[in-house]
């Protein structure tokens, strides 16, 4: 791999030029030592705690009220799917949502429309096995959001560059620009850095924020840590840590702890001596996988106990029950959802025969 970088330089010139020869030797030695460590890709900095947040945590799964979803796969290669979702009794969810998905091995497209006229669209394009460009647009209540992101996945690192609402039409640069990288330094330890440059309006000064992350992978457990010394608008600093462990093939557990340090009434360094205010949030969660169902439970330091049960009744029908009890506020929430996948007979026959090979979408 290192030799390919210099394949375009004539060999005679390399040997005649001591500087180029030294650079070539140093670069090749660096890559040989790097490859000898046997490092693997650690994932992205944005998802540094994904094992907890996406596997056992209920934050992204909880809902209240009634929800029904009908999905119609049109084809599997290329992937094309339509879905309708109805909900009631929950303020966070739209009463009606229509979405369409299309994907191949290099292209992914998704469009969503809600009953109030809100629109959102996503498109991903895979330039190579390592580079993927992601764009997103959203229009809601007369306001729009545009994001452009480029993700590069190396053998032992992942780097990302993202821009949100970038603009230069007002005589300067404004928007939010994020750059991050997560690099494996040993087979178990990964270190990461994220830098944010943002300017909301031209009459305000730009802000630069840095955060640091670390991820350690054991034999059956993963721990992560993120530190942000400076929060936006001088609101203090924050620390987030998470722990995930797989107890058995069916049972996973995890815990998460977040701390925020904000200036007191007088502000940092003021004459009133307000000092620092400390806020914290902690949660513990577990997931148990049965043969045809999955059960998740979570409890946090505010006394909220949540649980979610997903049950597959038939291959095309899934029922979800969610419940939350807040002991501190003396409140309770209950949710019931039904998902139906209306696959055509032709696609069902292909699936039963094993003739469907869905493309690897560029996520």
């Amino acid at each position: 791999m290192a030799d390919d970088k210099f394949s375009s330089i004539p060999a005679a010139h390399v040997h005649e030029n001591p500087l180029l020869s030294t650079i070539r030797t140093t670069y090749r030695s660096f890559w040989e030592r790097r490859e000898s460590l046997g490092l693997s890709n650690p994932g992205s900095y944005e998802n540094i705690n994904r094992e907890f947040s996406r596997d056992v945590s209920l934050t992204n799964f909880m809902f209240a009220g009634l929800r029904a979803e009908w999905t119609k796969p049109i084809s599997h290669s290329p992937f094309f799917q339509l879905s309708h979702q109805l909900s009631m009794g929950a303020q966070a969810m739209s009463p009606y949502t229509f979405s369409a998905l299309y994907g191949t091995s290099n292209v992914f497209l998704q469009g969503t429309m809600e009953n109030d006229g809100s629109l959102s669209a996503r498109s991903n394009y895979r330039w190579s096995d390592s580079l993927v460009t992601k764009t997103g647009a959203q229009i809601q209540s007369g306001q729009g959001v545009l994001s452009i992101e480029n993700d590069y996945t190396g053998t032992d690192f992942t780097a990302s560059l993202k821009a949100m609402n970038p603009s230069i039409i007002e005589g300067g640069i404004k928007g939010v620009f994020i750059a991050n990288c997560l690099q494996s330094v040993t087979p178990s330890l990964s270190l990461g850095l994220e830098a944010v440059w943002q300017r909301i309006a031209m009459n305000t000064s730009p802000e630069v924020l840095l955060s640091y992350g670390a991820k350690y992978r054991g034999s059956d457990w993963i721990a992560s840590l993120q530190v942000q010394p400076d929060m936006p608008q001088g609101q203090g600093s924050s620390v987030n840590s998470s722990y995930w462990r797989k107890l058995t093939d069916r049972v996973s557990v995890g815990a998460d702890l977040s701390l925020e340090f904000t200036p007191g009434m007088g502000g940092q360094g003021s004459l009133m001596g307000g000092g620092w205010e400390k806020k914290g949030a902690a949660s513990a969660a577990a997931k148990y996988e049965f043969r045809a169902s999955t059960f998740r439970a979570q409890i946090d330091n505010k006394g909220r106990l949540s649980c979610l049960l997903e049950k597959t009744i038939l291959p095309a029908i899934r029922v979800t029950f969610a419940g939350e009890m807040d002991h501190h506020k003396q409140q309770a929430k209950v949710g019931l959802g039904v998902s139906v996948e209306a696959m055509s007979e032709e696609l069902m026959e292909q699936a039963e025969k094993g003739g469907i090979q869905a493309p690897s979408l560029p996520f």
Side-chain angles (χ1 to χ4, degrees):
M1 182 175 180
D3 293 339
D4 295 340
K5 304 290 185 179
F6 293 87
S7 59
S8 60
I9 302 177
H13 292 176
V14 173
H15 293 295
E16 293 175 1
N17 192 320
L19 178 60
L20 291 180
S21 179
T22 301
I23 294 176
R24 178 186 176 91
T25 303
T26 304
Y27 191 81
R28 180 165 50 189
S29 176
F30 169 78
W31 273 102
E32 289 176 352
R33 293 183 180 181
R34 186 174 178 178
E35 293 175 354
S36 66
L37 295 176
L39 304 179
S40 60
N41 186 278
S44 64
Y45 183 90
E46 184 179 5
N47 297 320
I48 194 171
N49 65 339
R50 64 172 300 169
E51 287 78 14
F52 173 80
S53 62
R54 298 193 178 186
D55 185 38
V56 298
S57 176
L58 289 179
T59 304
N60 299 324
F61 294 93
M62 285 301 300
F63 67 96
L66 300 177
R67 184 180 69 184
E69 184 176 5
W70 181 83
T71 303
K72 175 67 175 179
I74 307 298
S75 66
H76 286 277
S77 185
F79 179 76
F80 184 41
Q81 174 181 290
L82 303 176
S83 67
H84 304 265
Q85 180 175 298
L86 300 172
S87 64
M88 59 184 300
Q91 297 180 356
M93 294 189 297
S94 175
Y96 172 74
T97 302
F98 169 78
S99 64
L101 285 80
Y102 173 85
T104 64
S105 58
N106 294 325
V107 178
F108 172 74
L109 302 173
Q110 179 182 12
T112 303
M113 179 181 65
E114 299 181 359
N115 64 293
D116 60 356
S118 300
L119 300 173
S120 63
R122 292 174 55 196
S123 66
N124 299 352
Y125 185 80
R126 177 183 283 133
W127 302 93
S128 65
D129 293 339
S130 302
L131 181 61
V132 176
T133 297
K134 304 176 183 180
T135 58
Q138 183 177 3
I139 300 176
Q140 186 175 10
S141 302
Q143 297 182 351
V145 178
L146 173 66
S147 64
I148 304 173
E149 182 177 1
N150 289 282
D151 293 341
Y152 187 87
T153 305
T155 55
D156 56 6
F157 74 96
T158 299
S160 176
L161 181 62
K162 185 176 183 179
M164 298 181 63
N165 282 352
S167 176
I168 58 174
I169 62 176
E170 297 183 15
I173 300 176
K174 72 174 187 177
V176 180
F177 300 87
I178 305 172
N180 57 56
C181 180
L182 187 63
Q183 169 74 56
S184 295
V185 293
T186 71
S188 300
L189 179 63
S190 304
L191 300 178
L193 171 68
E194 181 177 73
V196 179
W197 185 96
Q198 63 179 11
R199 174 186 279 175
I200 307 302
M202 294 304 301
N203 57 357
T204 62
S205 300
E207 283 188 297
V208 178
L209 307 173
L210 295 176
S211 63
Y212 310 90
K215 185 175 184 178
Y216 191 88
R217 183 184 299 271
S219 58
D220 57 356
W221 60 274
I222 298 175
S224 66
L225 175 68
Q226 287 179 286
V227 179
Q228 187 173 2
D230 297 310
M231 295 176 64
Q233 300 177 356
Q235 296 179 359
S237 58
S238 65
V239 178
N240 178 264
S241 61
S242 66
Y243 176 83
W244 173 89
R245 183 163 189 168
K246 195 172 188 65
L247 299 180
T248 67
D249 293 339
R250 295 179 177 269
V251 181
S252 302
V253 296
D256 183 81
L257 174 64
S258 298
L259 299 175
E260 291 185 5
F261 304 90
T262 58
M265 292 292 295
Q268 182 181 2
S270 68
L271 295 177
M272 296 180 63
W276 292 89
E277 293 182 358
K278 306 175 184 64
K279 299 179 181 179
S283 62
K287 184 182 77 168
Y288 191 96
E289 295 180 286
F290 298 91
R291 184 179 62 85
S293 61
T294 302
F295 177 77
R296 291 180 173 89
Q298 178 174 302
I299 187 171
D300 62 20
N301 62 313
K302 296 182 179 180
R304 286 183 300 187
L305 177 62
S306 308
C307 65
L308 185 137
L309 176 64
E310 294 178 306
K311 173 70 175 179
T312 302
I313 300 178
L314 295 173
I317 301 177
R318 186 177 74 253
V319 176
T320 305
F321 173 80
E324 179 182 281
M325 180 176 295
D326 193 327
H327 293 85
H328 179 69
K329 296 182 179 180
Q330 297 296 315
Q331 295 179 352
K333 299 178 182 179
V334 177
L336 178 63
V338 179
S339 301
V340 179
E341 187 178 79
M343 187 181 298
S344 64
E345 295 184 359
E346 180 180 357
L347 293 179
M348 292 182 65
E349 291 178 358
Q350 294 179 4
E352 293 176 354
K353 295 179 181 179
I356 296 179
Q357 294 182 354
S360 177
L361 302 180
F363 287 116

